[in-house]
Amino acid sequence: MDKPLNNKAWFFVLPVFFLVAISAIIPLMTVVNYSVQDTFGNNQFFWAGTEWYSEVLSSSRFHDALLRNLMFSGIILAIEIPLGIAIALSMPRKGIWVPVCLILMALPLLIPWNVVGTIWQVFGRADIGLLGRVLSELGVEYNYATNSVDAWVTIIIMDVWHWTSLVVLLCYSGLVAIPEAYYQAARIDGASKWKVFRYIQLPKMQRVLLIAVLLRFMDSFMIYTEPFVLTGGGPGNSTTFLSIDLVKMAIGQFDLGPAAAMSIIYFLIILLLCWVFYTVMTNFGVDAPEKEVD
Amino acid sequence: MAQITLDKLAHSYLAQPQSDADFALKQIDYVWEDGSAYALLGPSGCGKTTLLNIISGLLIPSKGNVLFDANDVTHLSPEERNIAQVFQFPVIYDTMTVEQNLAFPLQNRGVEKSEVNKRVSEMLDILELKDKAKRRARGLSADEKQKISLGRGLVRYDVNAILFDEPLTVIDPHMKWQLRTQLKELHEQFNHTMIYVTHDQTEALTFADKVVVMYEGEVVQIGTPEQLFDEPEHTFVGYFIGSPGMNILPGAVDANAVTLAEHSFLLDRQYPMLNGSIEVGIRPEFVKVTDATTAGSAGVPLQVSSVENIGRHKIVRGSVNGHQIDAVVEEDVNVPAEAYAVFDTSRLNVYQDSHLVRGNN
């Protein structure tokens, strides 16, 4: 049977289309526009085609920054996800300590990025910072301003301190939603603690973990404020991530064309990786399409 | 398989129970015979799940002991007691296949691989899940999931008892019958001791050899379905079993004369002197509704308030001297305008403070 067609229905979509157009599509188109043209000021534009794209894609500056981003996000996910799960598992499920733990966990999330950056910047300074002084008194050489490993460690600790709570809270919400009967059944079936985690807790946390991984990935891949406040991308270029490089290029050097091309590429990379995470994690533990059995 | 003995068992969820009312489960002494099917029947909050959890080992009783055969298992964990339990909601391991679910309890106990495979494939046959063996358990229907939870208990041949905690709650009505029948067959086949908690009397009466009726933390009667129907030992059992429940009216007893709703009847039983609150009970099935001529002197005027037709029977609701009386009559019986109730006096039960008093013949 054919469905009656009524194109008037499209009018209902119009308001949303307008809003999305103004808020997302038009700004994005401006960037697309810049990315395929060259300008020398005076509002004069010359067609550049894919020139900027190939320039960005083949520049070692972009490769290095992208590599730093991938490494950073990888390290962040590798630390925060297991740590978040572990903390969520060890949090109490009932009693007066529940609100205490939840509030403690929520506190870091309430602090703005640049404040977190400033806190750690001061905290880690070798001359006046508590951490920096203590470390140097103990004979540990630590200086994020001159040593790139120290700078990385500081930014990672900053991010872990700031955002592990988010993973904890998400996992915790997944854990408390598991009915008691599952644990009882597992005891009766003689399951070990590890098997309870592997076959009950982890599968039940799958959905919230997906959200946690996506949020933490996107956020860490877009990291800007923390390295900017700490060292402004240094020492050298060691903490110059894509976002920092992009700002340098667009606002520092006014290379609008390459910066626009880089923005588009940056955006597509995040989109692609999120899609990969989403597909992999939602298909994990789900039946493959049924095969005919002979 | 084992005989389960409850020895002076009682439980309170409070740390320092003071009075009787603090106990969720009042003292119970009972022996659950090996290989029988029991139903624990009672309204919500009567302590039946508490009792079940004590037997399974999920809860340690505040008083008394649980014995499996001659072994005291009071302080043993569920896995050490070697029991199986099926919960209200199907508990399955989502990411495992049906097969893996069934193999799980065996693998955890270190059973050899060939033996695991043999038993799992046997169980798949019994549960009629063979064609779904390789499917993930997550995508199955509620009744299939519940079968898997049951199967995880049955694959262990040596379980001491299988406990059911309202296992049919989330099952569709038309599947309930099927599952219950299957359960009954499994019981006959394996002869496990089965304890089945429910608040549905039909489930309890059709499943069990013996029904344990609980009320406010107390076991008020343990008996076969017939015993519960004919001689409820507590007025609560009278109300709770049967539909509609037993008519319970205030009364008086003097030797062989019973007064019920201000009408006296002579019984062929003798009662001793009774003190306290005396009530008389009669099942609606043993109340006849007739007109004055048929009733004769045995008839009591009945004011009919409603007649419900429930298929092959009619339920007549009315009152005698202001006390409510229900009667179940055949569908072809006409209820006269001026109705009389005739009681089958051999079926009258006398209760003192809610407990049955048996007369002497």
Side-chain angles (χ1 to χ4, degrees):
Chain A
M1 206 181 82
D2 283 326
K3 276 186 185 171
L5 275 177
N6 186 346
N7 285 321
K8 278 182 200 153
W10 286 105
F11 286 109
F12 288 106
V13 187
L14 268 183
V16 175
F17 180 77
F18 262 121
L19 283 175
V20 174
I22 290 167
S23 68
I25 298 175
I26 294 174
L28 193 66
M29 282 308 124
T30 324
V31 178
V32 172
N33 197 25
Y34 277 121
S35 73
V36 291
Q37 297 186 80
D38 196 0
T39 178
F40 302 104
N42 293 336
N43 227 10
Q44 282 183 301
F45 288 93
F46 303 94
W47 178 254
T50 58
E51 200 182 307
W52 298 134
Y53 286 93
S54 41
E55 187 188 308
V56 168
L57 283 173
S58 60
S59 80
S60 62
R61 181 174 160 183
F62 176 77
H63 293 165
D64 292 348
L66 178 62
L67 208 64
R68 277 181 215 118
N69 263 56
L70 290 173
M71 221 167 95
F72 182 73
S73 288
I75 293 173
I76 288 300
L77 288 180
I79 294 175
E80 288 182 9
I81 299 295
L83 185 64
I85 294 175
I87 294 175
L89 283 173
S90 51
M91 265 166 70
R93 303 283 158 75
K94 49 188 162 196
I96 53 160
W97 289 105
V98 173
V100 177
C101 287
L102 288 178
I103 289 169
L104 281 178
M105 281 297 140
L107 272 181
L109 300 178
L110 301 176
I111 303 174
W113 289 260
N114 53 348
V115 176
V116 174
T118 313
I119 290 174
W120 283 85
Q121 203 243 20
V122 175
F123 188 45
R125 275 175 68 163
D127 50 353
I128 55 164
L130 181 63
L131 176 73
R133 274 302 285 274
V134 169
L135 284 175
S136 61
E137 294 291 326
L138 288 173
V140 181
E141 280 196 37
Y142 166 82
N143 191 337
Y144 58 73
T146 55
N147 185 324
S148 51
V149 176
D150 289 352
W152 266 75
V153 169
T154 312
I155 297 173
I156 287 168
I157 290 176
M158 227 189 266
D159 199 272
V160 168
W161 179 85
H162 197 182
W163 291 111
T164 306
S165 308
L166 180 74
V167 182
V168 172
L169 292 178
L170 283 169
C171 290
Y172 187 73
S173 73
L175 281 177
V176 292
I178 302 174
E180 190 55 34
Y182 278 85
Y183 296 111
Q184 296 176 343
R187 283 178 69 187
I188 288 166
D189 287 339
S192 61
K193 252 192 152 167
W194 162 249
K195 283 186 173 170
V196 169
F197 173 70
R198 170 70 187 78
Y199 295 113
I200 296 175
Q201 291 169 323
L202 199 58
K204 295 276 171 201
M205 278 195 291
Q206 192 188 347
R207 277 164 205 278
V208 286
L209 268 182
L210 170 67
I211 297 171
V213 168
L214 282 182
L215 284 179
R216 285 318 303 135
F217 166 72
M218 286 190 288
D219 233 34
S220 63
F221 207 74
M222 295 188 293
I223 186 161
Y224 175 76
T225 322
E226 288 91 337
F228 178 75
V229 173
L230 193 73
T231 59
N237 270 337
S238 61
T239 57
T240 302
F241 296 104
L242 285 172
S243 55
I244 289 187
D245 203 24
L246 186 60
V247 172
K248 275 185 191 167
M249 198 185 284
I251 296 166
Q253 303 159 222
F254 263 98
D255 283 336
L256 292 185
M262 187 173 156
S263 303
I264 303 278
I265 296 166
Y266 194 6
F267 168 66
L268 290 178
I269 291 172
I270 294 184
L271 206 63
L272 175 77
L273 287 174
C274 283
W275 178 78
V276 170
F277 277 124
Y278 183 82
T279 327
V280 170
M281 290 188 72
T282 43
N283 287 339
F284 181 78
V286 176
D287 263 334
E290 289 263 310
K291 277 183 209 146
E292 286 296 319
V293 183
D294 326 336
Chain B
M1 275 160 270
Q3 166 184 296
I4 301 170
T5 309
L6 307 181
D7 178 27
K8 297 192 189 65
L9 196 73
H11 187 72
S12 170
Y13 287 103
L14 304 176
Q16 301 285 327
Q18 302 295 326
S19 67
D20 235 23
D22 288 343
F23 280 87
L25 183 69
K26 301 196 178 90
Q27 185 168 321
I28 163 172
D29 278 284
Y30 192 69
V31 176
W32 308 76
E33 281 158 40
D34 188 6
S36 284
Y38 291 92
L40 274 175
L41 179 65
S44 300
C46 72
K48 52 194 194 306
T49 300
T50 306
L51 179 55
L52 194 76
N53 286 344
I54 289 174
I55 296 173
S56 68
L58 294 168
L59 206 62
I60 291 173
S62 10
K63 281 185 188 172
N65 297 304
V66 181
L67 282 80
F68 282 11
D69 290 331
N71 308 318
D72 188 340
V73 297
T74 316
H75 296 279
L76 292 188
S77 64
E79 57 271 33
E80 290 167 318
R81 291 185 191 199
N82 201 15
I83 47 100
Q85 186 160 355
V86 178
F87 295 89
Q88 200 165 2
F89 300 97
V91 175
I92 47 140
Y93 302 103
D94 285 333
T95 50
M96 295 188 197
T97 62
V98 173
E99 250 177 0
Q100 289 166 337
N101 258 283
L102 293 175
F104 191 61
L106 296 176
Q107 286 164 346
N108 290 336
R109 286 175 172 75
V111 177
E112 237 174 273
K113 201 164 184 238
S114 57
E115 177 70 11
V116 172
N117 290 342
K118 195 187 110 211
R119 288 204 218 168
V120 167
S121 111
E122 231 177 62
M123 195 44 58
L124 286 168
D125 276 336
I126 292 170
L127 300 174
E128 293 159 15
L129 287 171
K130 193 115 230 172
D131 51 331
K132 293 185 172 148
K134 306 275 182 214
R135 286 266 298 275
R136 298 247 184 215
R138 165 181 289 176
L140 301 181
S141 64
D143 55 288
E144 287 166 333
K145 285 182 183 173
Q146 201 60 302
K147 278 197 210 172
I148 297 173
S149 348
L150 171 64
R152 283 208 316 272
L154 289 175
V155 281
R156 291 150 50 200
Y157 290 149
D158 58 338
V159 283
N160 282 321
I162 302 180
L163 312 179
F164 298 88
D165 189 0
E166 305 192 24
L168 301 181
T169 310
V170 294
I171 310 297
D172 283 343
H174 69 285
M175 289 305 299
K176 276 188 187 180
W177 276 106
Q178 207 176 318
L179 267 184
R180 207 155 58 207
T181 319
Q182 219 175 350
L183 210 57
K184 191 109 186 134
E185 286 166 8
L186 286 172
H187 179 243
E188 278 155 21
Q189 191 179 342
F190 288 94
N191 252 320
H192 285 299
T193 310
M194 287 187 173
I195 303 175
Y196 188 109
V197 162
T198 177
H199 56 240
D200 180 336
Q201 53 165 310
T202 323
E203 267 178 41
L205 298 177
T206 51
F207 169 81
D209 304 327
K210 276 202 176 163
V211 179
V212 178
V213 185
M214 295 190 64
Y215 177 59
E216 290 184 345
E218 213 172 337
V219 173
V220 286
Q221 184 166 8
I222 300 174
T224 61
E226 295 76 39
Q227 286 169 335
L228 296 182
F229 186 80
D230 292 336
E231 291 198 313
E233 280 179 15
H234 190 278
T235 48
F236 171 75
V237 181
Y239 285 128
F240 200 67
I241 308 278
S243 175
M246 192 178 231
N247 298 304
I248 311 262
L249 303 104
V253 175
D254 180 17
N256 65 342
V258 170
T259 309
L260 163 60
E262 283 98 57
H263 293 269
S264 280
F265 305 94
L266 287 181
L267 303 183
D268 43 14
R269 277 169 287 169
Q270 292 278 341
Y271 287 93
M273 270 290 288
L274 298 177
N275 301 313
S277 139
I278 306 297
E279 286 165 307
V280 179
I282 184 157
R283 290 234 171 247
E285 287 80 1
F286 305 127
V287 180
K288 268 188 228 142
V289 179
T290 57
D291 54 23
T293 43
T294 330
S297 61
V300 176
L302 176 73
Q303 277 183 316
V304 177
S305 56
S306 72
V307 179
E308 295 163 25
N309 202 326
I310 53 163
R312 294 177 57 196
H313 298 282
K314 281 179 187 168
I315 298 175
V316 180
R317 298 193 192 272
S319 61
V320 170
N321 284 356
H323 301 288
Q324 206 205 312
I325 295 259
D326 295 335
V328 173
V329 299
E330 296 291 314
E331 60 171 339
D332 51 0
V333 169
N334 280 318
V335 180
E338 223 171 88
Y340 284 81
V342 178
F343 302 117
D344 180 346
T345 50
S346 65
R347 299 292 197 158
L348 282 179
N349 289 324
V350 174
Y351 295 93
Q352 178 184 23
D353 294 327
S354 302
H355 289 275
L356 180 71
V357 182
R358 285 175 213 275
N360 305 310
N361 292 325

